Amino acid sequence: MSHARYPEWQAESAEALIAPIVANEPGPVLLCLQAVQAHFGYVPGDAVAMIAEACNVTRADVHGVFTFYADLRDTAPPAVPVRLCAAEACQAVGGRELKAEWAKACGDDADLATLTGVDEPIFCLGNCALGPAALVDGELMGCADVARLKAAVAQAQAMGEGA
Ligand code: FES
């Protein structure tokens, strides 16, 4: 399933993204990785090799930078990613219970699970006063519960299909 927000991976597009970064920025590896992920939603292995060659460093060097930054991913994102805050303030107001309820909802609904992907923990969204907090397709939600998450997922999916 592709993500409506991102185009399919294309080496030519990635080359066009990273060439000006390599030409103009000192230490361009991270910037290249971020540019590819911003455009395609992830950094495929082909891009790691491409960035290594363009920056005249080894693949291991690029991989080292890639693995250091938890927000960089090497697989395409789900269509409507859902991430629940796993930090303390949200845990104190039901975040742990919400995580379990969301896991059950996804376990009961294979389509929902496929649509939203793995709930990769995220630590503090800066919305602590309105916990538990979540990100639904990159949009911040406070006072999250399963019903509101499902509604937001449906809305994001509808918007993605309309795009
Ligand atoms: S702890 Fe969850 S938003 Fe800050």
Side-chain angles (χ1 to χ4, degrees):
M1 181 179 300
S2 66
H3 193 293
R5 180 183 296 173
Y6 302 106
E8 295 293 325
W9 163 255
Q10 279 192 320
E12 298 79 21
S13 300
E15 285 172 354
L17 283 172
I18 66 176
I21 296 171
V22 173
N24 297 309
E25 301 287 344
V29 171
L30 177 59
L31 292 173
C32 289
L33 289 166
Q34 290 172 326
V36 168
Q37 178 152 314
H39 188 77
F40 295 105
Y42 72 115
V43 183
D46 288 353
V48 170
M50 180 186 295
I51 291 167
E53 185 174 339
C55 297
N56 199 26
V57 298
T58 67
R59 289 183 192 193
D61 290 333
V62 178
H63 188 71
V65 175
F66 175 85
T67 55
F68 186 79
Y69 291 93
D71 283 342
L72 294 172
R73 56 181 303 138
D74 61 2
T75 56
V80 184
V82 171
R83 301 180 74 181
L84 305 179
C85 179
E88 281 184 26
C90 284
Q91 296 278 319
V93 291
R96 198 170 288 124
E97 293 79 5
L98 176 60
K99 185 173 181 63
E101 291 166 10
W102 182 247
K104 181 175 184 332
C106 290
D108 292 344
D109 184 342
D111 290 341
L112 180 65
T114 301
L115 190 62
T116 60
V118 175
D119 165 30
E120 297 167 14
I122 192 165
F123 293 93
C124 195
L125 297 165
N127 197 37
C128 312
L130 294 175
L135 283 180
V136 178
D137 200 25
E139 296 293 322
L140 182 62
M141 173 187 287
C143 303
D145 60 29
V146 169
R148 293 188 67 228
L149 288 170
K150 284 184 173 179
V153 167
Q155 183 178 10
Q157 183 185 23
M159 289 176 62
E161 288 171 353

